[in-house]
Amino acid sequence: MRTNQFDINRERMVEEQLIPRGIVDAGTLAAMRTVPRHTFVDDAMGYKAYGDHPLPIGSGQTISQPYIVALMTQALGLTGSEKVLEIGTGSGYQAAVLSRVCDRVYTIERIDSLLVRARRIFDRLHYLNIISRIDDGTIGWPDEAPFDGILVTAGGPEIPQPLLEQLADPGRMVIPVGGRDVQELQLVTKQNGEVTVSPIEQVRFVDLIGSHGWAD
Ligand code: SAM
């Protein structure tokens, strides 16, 4: 597929999948219009990259549906100056979108081959404000805490306590919580020492595996 066709498909994705479903944040929409999603999937799947669905990325993992990426990004309420932690780098696409709307993104992945691939794409696109590591993301990144925003892109049974502790005050976390088949996407807000949890919508994510998630 020619590059300008990808550009056309990306604009159509924003107009048909995001705006009608309530994505209104200017920064989020600009990032979704800019980041070349087709770069984050295998070449053979490039023509499906702007469809209204998740796609496989290998190792049994997925790149999330564009709408879910936009919804989670918008829910963080970023203004450009924040330090954000993402758990579950996967293809790298969500981290790339975040990197356009905040100051620095720290992203953790547990599967080595996925992170190696994502890092190559960040380098190719010159997305230099993304810092990544291999680890169990449910324990967070204590050396770099606190984070103004935390975004978890895999579903676990509960909100990992280390992530709550590493969330800045004020700060926002977006995380799918629930069973292995279906979860509730939750917005967790910390303000003046108080934590508030509010539901966003029902979602289906792959497992968050780790010491504060599901067992491997
Ligand atoms: N954000 C990704 C993207 O834009 O492509 C989508 C990620 S995929 C839905 C979830 C990812 O979370 C998988 O790559 C999986 O390996 C990773 N994961 C699961 N448990 C994890 C953990 N404890 N720490 C870090 N990554 C984890």
Side-chain angles (χ1 to χ4, degrees), residues 109-127:
E109 172 56 56
R110 60 183 287 277
I111 300 176
D112 197 52
S113 56
L114 291 179
L115 192 64
V116 168
R117 190 173 172 280
R119 273 183 181 155
R120 257 190 237 126
I121 303 170
F122 299 151
D123 287 347
R124 203 180 332 141
L125 295 173
H126 302 289
Y127 288 174

Side-chain angles (χ1 to χ4, degrees), residues 57 61-64 69 86-95 108-111 114 135-138 153-154 205-210:
I57 54 170
Q61 306 303 322
T62 53
I63 175 174
S64 305
V69 172
E86 182 203 22
I87 310 304
T89 316
S91 69
Y93 177 66
Q94 172 75 74
I108 308 177
E109 172 56 56
R110 60 183 287 277
I111 300 176
L114 291 179
D135 210 337
D136 169 9
T138 66
T153 68
F205 272 89
V206 297
D207 288 352
L208 178 69
I209 295 170

